[in-house]
Amino acid sequence: MVTLKIDEHPNDPKIISSSKKSLLRSFKITSYKHIDRAVWLALYLYLSGRESQAQSLLDSFVFEIQSSENCIDLWSSNGMGILLLAYIYGKAGNKERESELVNVIINDDIMTDRATRGELLREEFEYHEERMEWYPNETHKYRCEILGERFFMFLYFLELIPTFRHEISDEDVSLINEILDDVRAKLVSEIGES
């Protein structure tokens, strides 16, 4: 049985507070929806300046899940958690741990194999513009989900750049970083408004 490391705080923004309560009430390591909720909570914590809480939460479950052909959704959800944890370690200066975690995804990718990563990136650039045009018209919760999904998508490309750098230009690399900065700022604002 997995016990999530979640600390409740009275000053949590509403979206973080409700996510914590939901996960504390019910969490199954075999449910990709529950893994999604835990990974999203970690993202919200990280973007709220609570890096150590986000890291502890992710550390409490991401290594308990193994890839399996029968559990593709579960591995995809968990893989985003692994990449977020890698990113957190990288930002804290632990590049060795970041690399170890990214290698988990390199060795067992969480994306489709129907196209190369460079081709997927170009598709995502186009799709991103469309998503960003209409996301402001959604409910607060859905705006956060859209922005979070965009963050995770481009985090995937950022962390795996060394594996497909030969397929993309310097402008593509800059655009990945610009998109992440933009989405991060918008999501931080949304979290603060909850």
Side-chain angles (χ1 to χ4, degrees):
M1 183 172 153
V2 172
T3 302
L4 296 179
K5 285 209 153 190
I6 298 176
D7 299 321
E8 292 188 86
H9 293 276
N11 297 331
D12 281 336
K14 185 178 177 186
I15 195 163
I16 290 176
S17 177
S18 61
S19 294
K20 286 180 178 182
K21 286 176 184 165
S22 173
L23 286 166
L24 289 169
R25 200 172 38 249
S26 170
F27 178 76
K28 292 181 184 167
I29 195 78
T30 56
S31 167
Y32 78 88
K33 290 181 181 179
H34 289 202
I35 298 299
D36 273 347
R37 288 197 325 235
V39 170
W40 286 70
L41 173 57
L43 176 61
Y44 296 157
L45 289 168
Y46 176 75
L47 294 178
S48 297
R50 299 179 186 174
E51 296 86 354
S52 63
Q53 288 179 39
Q55 182 178 332
S56 293
L57 172 58
L58 291 166
D59 274 329
S60 70
F61 71 90
V62 296
F63 304 110
E64 300 299 321
I65 299 168
Q66 302 301 315
S67 175
S68 158
E69 286 184 26
N70 300 333
C71 301
I72 294 170
D73 289 338
L74 189 65
W75 181 245
S76 293
S77 298
N78 194 62
M80 288 303 180
I82 291 170
L83 287 175
L84 179 57
L85 189 56
Y87 184 72
I88 292 169
Y89 275 110
K91 288 293 185 184
N94 190 340
K95 296 297 185 182
E96 184 177 328
R97 185 66 175 141
E98 178 184 25
S99 180
E100 288 172 7
L101 291 167
V102 169
N103 280 332
V104 171
I105 304 305
I106 290 170
N107 294 327
D108 196 349
D109 206 338
I110 56 175
M111 293 290 180
T112 181
D113 59 2
R114 68 170 174 76
T116 68
R117 289 184 181 122
E119 291 166 339
L120 289 174
L121 176 62
R122 284 183 279 286
E123 288 176 15
E124 282 302 324
F125 282 151
E126 289 179 28
Y127 182 61
H128 181 74
E129 289 180 25
E130 180 182 311
R131 294 286 275 181
M132 297 309 285
E133 279 179 24
W134 56 264
Y135 100 90
N137 302 319
E138 299 297 333
T139 65
H140 179 263
K141 181 181 177 195
Y142 198 47
R143 287 193 308 270
C144 288
E145 288 178 10
I146 291 168
L147 291 169
E149 183 268 334
R150 297 286 77 209
F151 184 88
F152 281 123
M153 182 58 65
F154 286 97
L155 177 64
Y156 167 85
F157 291 116
L158 177 71
E159 290 293 337
L160 273 73
I161 279 176
T163 68
F164 70 103
R165 182 63 180 92
H166 60 284
E167 294 181 56
I168 60 175
S169 68
D170 291 344
E171 291 79 19
D172 291 334
V173 174
S174 293
L175 188 52
I176 290 170
N177 284 296
E178 286 172 24
I179 288 171
L180 275 170
D181 289 345
D182 179 58
V183 168
R184 179 187 301 111
K186 286 179 167 65
L187 190 49
V188 166
S189 176
E190 292 287 348
I191 291 167
E193 289 177 19
S194 68

